[in-house]
Amino acid sequence: MDACLYGTDGFYSTRGSAGRSRGDFITSPEVGPLFGAVIARALEQWWQEAGCPDPWTIYDVGAGPGTLLRSIGVAVAETRPWELKNVDIASGDHDLAELPSALDNCVVLANELLDNMPFRVVERRDDGLYELFVADGERVWRPSPVRLEQLELPVGGQVPLLEQASAWVANTLDRGASRVVVIDYGATTTAELASRGGWLRTYRQHQRGHDPLAEPGRWDITTDIAVDQLPSGSIVTSQADFLRRWGIESLVAEGKDYWMAHAAAPDLKAFRMRSRIAEAEALLDPAGLGSWLICQWMPG
Ligand SMILES: C[S@@+](CC[C@H](N)C(=O)[O-])C[C@H]1O[C@@H](n2cnc3c(N)ncnc32)[C@H](O)[C@@H]1O
């Protein structure tokens, strides 16, 4: 998976970090500026609660083309001493390849990053745990050295092991971030992923692929995440609940009012305000983006 996504001929290396958002898959920031505007409201309160630090840095990791911080930048008051920095390992329009080693007075955001981090695949059998490998393009199941003491997995259950994703969160917390906010699709438990299946998917230009081993490097490979495999202590909400908590509905109402007042001779802003209605529908959709999970760690 690492080679297929980030190797020399990998999906993200050859398409650039913007690849997926140019049409392979629509993420919340790519729906429109409303998502960033709501996050900016949350950031404003977190900044004040932190005692208004100056500077205060917001990193978006796995930023792709940097759309999220662009819309946050538009929504936030110009007087705020905030630094907005994009981080992405793939080439593209971003500031950093990696997070710095000290993250005091920093918030780290990651939208649909963890699902794209290489994972292992294991299956519980009567005689122990087996792990999926690929040899000469074929699937091979071998006894796995992994221990699953913490995770409940019934016999026959197959799940992703999110070691890299979990290590990334732990490492980011170790660097002293004030808050880490991860947004992704998945479930709260690994057992739930095992029972519902279908957690490994491939995409290209809105098309679902079938076999993750087909055309290596030409398809995005993703997994649902399981919160119980990430560091403990996070507050977990659905994206819909989070966006409502931070006022998406009042931003939509403001958009409607502006549109009504300008509908006779609409300017560009009027069209942008009207588009909040459709953006909110997509962002809150209980069968889609609204069901994504938001995990927040607030050390200290
Ligand atoms: C699905 S895209 C999400 C893009 C953007 N966050 C959005 O929501 O539209 C995942 C991005 O994560 C980046 N990525 C994957 N692993 C990473 C890592 N370890 N550090 C930084 N970026 C990473 C990929 O290059 C890709 O641009």
Side-chain angles (χ1 to χ4, degrees):
M1 183 175 171
D2 210 347
C4 286
L5 294 187
Y6 310 110
T8 336
D9 296 321
F11 182 81
Y12 283 101
S13 320
T14 52
R15 301 182 145 221
S17 58
R20 186 163 164 181
S21 57
R22 284 209 187 108
D24 293 309
F25 195 82
I26 297 290
T27 60
S28 296
E30 299 296 338
V31 165
L34 182 59
F35 184 69
V38 181
I39 304 270
R41 287 184 153 201
L43 287 166
E44 173 67 26
Q45 179 150 337
W46 299 338
W47 178 67
Q48 292 191 14
E49 283 169 4
C52 307
D54 176 6
W56 201 54
T57 312
I58 296 140
Y59 291 99
D60 179 20
V61 183
T67 314
L68 177 57
L69 289 188
R70 245 192 316 278
S71 50
I72 290 176
V74 168
V76 77
E78 271 175 24
T79 50
R80 292 289 175 256
W82 299 5
E83 292 177 353
L84 307 179
K85 292 188 193 288
N86 291 307
V87 181
D88 203 294
I89 50 170
S91 59
D93 176 19
H94 42 74
D95 313 316
L96 300 166
E98 277 186 35
L99 282 170
S101 52
L103 292 171
D104 310 282
N105 288 331
C106 294
V107 172
V108 178
L109 308 173
N111 189 63
E112 297 199 18
L113 166 70
L114 301 193
D115 67 86
N116 252 177
M117 289 187 161
F119 51 89
R120 301 165 84 151
V121 178
V122 294
E123 179 179 300
R124 168 92 68 208
R125 297 187 185 170
D126 283 330
D127 60 342
L129 198 67
Y130 282 69
E131 181 165 353
L132 180 62
F133 291 87
V134 180
D136 297 325
E138 299 295 329
R139 289 169 175 72
V140 187
W141 287 93
R142 297 187 182 135
S144 173
V146 170
R147 295 278 153 266
L148 282 190
E149 283 91 6
Q150 312 290 336
L151 302 175
E152 277 179 37
L153 184 59
V155 171
Q158 252 181 38
V159 287
L161 283 188
L162 312 170
E163 290 168 326
Q164 288 197 28
S166 177
W168 179 84
V169 175
N171 187 274
T172 306
L173 292 167
D174 282 350
R175 294 175 193 215
S178 331
R179 187 182 287 257
V180 177
V181 183
V182 157
I183 306 162
D184 230 307
Y185 33 83
T188 48
T189 66
T190 303
E192 200 181 325
L193 286 193
S195 67
R196 78 184 189 199
W199 38 264
L200 193 164
R201 294 183 293 277
T202 61
Y203 291 97
R204 183 171 70 197
Q205 292 173 338
H206 292 303
Q207 230 190 313
R208 261 294 279 280
H210 300 289
D211 181 358
L213 300 193
E215 297 183 275
R218 306 293 303 280
W219 293 82
D220 193 4
I221 304 174
T222 83
T223 180
D224 284 343
I225 59 136
V227 177
D228 62 354
Q229 292 191 37
L230 303 177
S232 60
S234 66
I235 292 177
V236 185
T237 47
S238 69
Q239 169 154 308
D241 285 350
F242 180 93
L243 295 178
R244 288 199 174 97
R245 155 73 183 86
W246 292 106
I248 190 169
E249 278 151 349
S250 64
L251 287 172
V252 172
E254 185 187 277
K256 277 185 192 156
D257 290 348
Y258 191 94
W259 172 255
M260 295 303 276
H262 295 80
D267 54 6
L268 196 57
K269 184 174 173 188
F271 285 109
R272 268 205 298 268
M273 294 298 251
R274 185 181 64 169
S275 95
R276 284 183 179 179
I277 301 165
E279 287 176 50
E281 267 169 31
L283 295 172
L284 299 173
D285 178 3
L289 294 171
S291 70
W292 275 206
L293 299 174
I294 301 200
C295 306
Q296 298 182 66
W297 288 264
M298 290 154 277

